[in-house]
Amino acid sequence: MILKTFGWSFAITAVGLAFAAWQWGWEAFGIVLILSILEISLSFDNAVVNAGILKKMNAFWQKIFLTVGILIAVFGMRLVFPVVIVAISAKVGPIDAVQLALDDPDRYKALVTDAHPGIAAFGGMFLLMIFLDFIFEDRDIKWLGWLERPLAKLGKVDMLSVCVALIALLGTALTFATHAHTSTGTQDKSATVLLAGVAGLITYLVVGGLSAFFENRLEEQEEQEHEAEEKAKAEGKEVSAIGLAGKAAFFLFLYLEVLDASFSFDGVIGAFAITNQIFWMALGLGIGAMYVRSLTVYLVRQGTLDDYVYLEHGAHYAIGALSVILLVTIQHSINEVITGLVGIVLIAASFWSSVRRNKALEAAGGDEDRKDPDEDKTAVSV
């Protein structure tokens, strides 16, 4: 089962890492490996959401999502999107950005360094909004209850996450951005950081709005199908499962693609906190995207989506940490390995807390719906 589901992912990982080591050396090997793990970690909740929706689709549309969808995910968001970000930030054409990366790496590095304050502000705000919307939401399951309970109460205030993000942006513009690191030394990039940060915030709100739109359309389709099914049963007619699946399939597919694109933003933007090499970035994120697809299939086939309940928390804490790191790197340099390890450590801690919680629940009788009295204690002790 494991080999059948993850076989292609294992093969692409081996080829990708070997190519990175052969083409660029062991530093590239390490960065690509960290990026792959980071993408898998940040996109685990993406796989869970995908699996929950994908299981409602018929076999044909599942295949479409796992074939056409992977092309969009890997080549669109993980390869083209980083190039577009660099091109816009450095004010060069996409083809010129790729050509510079190939022919004149020193010039390319200087352009990326000069564009980094804008990239960091845009990405930092986008990631910060993801984290804030998560941490301010009241959830049944809490990992760090001592922190999440009071923040969930504060989250009842409308637009609090936007206000906090804007305050963080203003603080960044008045501190780190006044002495931003560039290829020619430190410069005042306050205006650039403010503009890029607002753009990142707007992008998050637009992507979230599109996701909500497709989710609402999906719910409407499901309600219509349920009413049609009840009516057919009352009249003694048979319900065509294929027709119902096909009726909602297009909106399901669009919704999944928008969701996947929105989840891809955090991986791509977070990758800029680790490296500015777009080829290393595309390779690492592409490998990670393959595992996300394989994990989605695995979760659908196994039928278990909630075994490790704290992983989503760990992924969002990693996103929050990356957002802070991105904003700090506007002025200060932070080693890429340290940046990558922060996310990995948080994910590992949440995974271990989930394992301990499952063992505690199993010992208490296996009722996962029951409130675990030691839940917060277990999580904090990791």
Side-chain angles (χ1 to χ4, degrees):
M1 177 66 180
I2 296 294
L3 186 60
K4 181 179 179 181
T5 305
F6 290 90
W8 276 105
S9 298
F10 292 153
I12 290 176
T13 301
V15 173
L17 291 176
F19 178 79
W22 171 70
Q23 184 70 25
W24 299 296
W26 291 109
E27 180 186 1
F29 176 92
I31 295 299
V32 169
L33 180 61
I34 288 176
L35 286 172
S36 302
I37 297 173
L38 180 67
E39 174 69 9
I40 297 168
S41 302
L42 294 180
S43 299
F44 183 86
D45 51 347
N46 186 11
V48 173
V49 173
N50 285 350
I53 298 174
L54 196 64
K55 66 182 181 181
K56 301 176 184 179
M57 301 171 73
N58 59 24
F60 171 78
W61 280 99
Q62 287 184 7
K63 188 175 181 180
I64 290 293
F65 176 72
L66 296 171
T67 52
V68 177
I70 192 63
L71 293 176
I72 297 173
V74 174
F75 295 102
M77 291 305 300
R78 273 76 173 187
L79 180 60
V80 176
F81 186 57
V83 174
V84 171
I85 288 180
V86 172
I88 293 174
S89 302
K91 298 179 181 179
V92 298
I95 297 177
D96 294 332
V98 175
Q99 199 67 38
L100 276 174
L102 289 171
D103 299 336
D104 193 354
D106 292 334
R107 172 62 178 159
Y108 170 80
K109 183 177 181 180
L111 285 174
V112 173
T113 301
D114 292 339
H116 180 75
I119 294 174
F122 178 92
M125 284 300 100
F126 187 91
L127 295 180
L128 185 60
M129 281 299 299
I130 292 176
F131 171 70
L132 291 175
D133 276 351
F134 178 85
I135 202 67
F136 284 143
E137 183 178 347
D138 190 11
R139 300 176 180 277
D140 295 333
I141 296 176
K142 296 176 176 61
W143 183 31
L144 305 178
W146 57 271
L147 176 64
E148 294 171 14
R149 287 194 186 95
L151 289 177
K153 292 179 180 179
L154 289 174
K156 294 179 181 179
V157 178
D158 289 339
M159 305 300 290
L160 180 61
S161 58
V162 176
C163 293
V164 172
L166 287 174
I167 292 172
L169 176 61
L170 182 61
T172 301
L174 295 176
T175 54
F176 299 128
T178 57
H179 296 84
H181 176 70
T182 66
S183 61
T184 57
T186 58
Q187 296 182 15
D188 187 351
K189 292 282 188 177
S190 300
T192 299
V193 166
L194 280 173
L195 182 61
V198 171
L201 182 61
I202 292 173
T203 301
Y204 173 82
L205 295 175
V206 169
V207 170
L210 286 174
S211 297
F213 170 77
F214 286 120
E215 186 174 9
N216 291 335
R217 292 301 301 269
L218 173 61
E219 290 176 355
E220 291 175 4
Q221 288 288 331
E222 289 178 341
E223 290 178 1
Q224 292 175 6
E225 290 172 7
H226 180 70
E227 292 175 359
E229 184 178 356
E230 292 297 324
K231 182 178 179 180
K233 287 181 178 179
E235 296 175 354
K237 299 179 180 179
E238 292 186 1
V239 182
S240 174
I242 296 178
L244 292 175
K247 198 173 181 180
F250 181 66
F251 289 110
L252 278 168
F253 180 75
L254 289 179
Y255 176 49
L256 281 173
E257 289 306 313
V258 171
L259 271 182
D260 193 66
S262 64
F263 277 106
S264 299
F265 272 111
D266 57 12
V268 173
I269 296 300
F272 277 103
I274 297 176
T275 182
N276 287 327
Q277 296 289 339
I278 55 175
F279 297 110
W280 299 5
M281 190 184 303
L283 187 57
L285 296 179
I287 292 173
M290 287 296 299
Y291 279 96
V292 173
R293 280 300 197 276
S294 297
L295 183 60
T296 299
V297 176
Y298 180 80
L299 291 173
V300 170
R301 291 174 177 173
Q302 291 294 102
T304 55
L305 300 177
D306 302 315
D307 286 344
Y308 305 104
V309 294
Y310 298 136
L311 275 174
E312 185 179 10
H313 296 73
H316 280 85
Y317 279 112
I319 290 172
L322 282 175
S323 69
V324 173
I325 288 172
L326 274 171
L327 297 178
V328 171
T329 57
I330 292 174
Q331 180 179 354
H332 303 287
S333 178
I334 298 178
N335 188 278
E336 294 89 347
V337 176
I338 294 176
T339 304
L341 287 177
V342 168
I344 294 172
V345 168
L346 287 169
I347 293 296
S350 64
F351 175 79
W352 179 240
S353 291
S354 300
V355 171
R356 295 186 62 181
R357 175 185 183 274
N358 292 342
K359 289 182 178 178
L361 288 175
E362 185 178 351
D367 185 4
E368 294 191 3
D369 294 328
R370 180 181 60 82
K371 169 66 179 175
D372 182 6
D374 297 325
E375 184 174 284
D376 295 329
K377 179 180 176 182
T378 302
V380 175
S381 64
V382 173

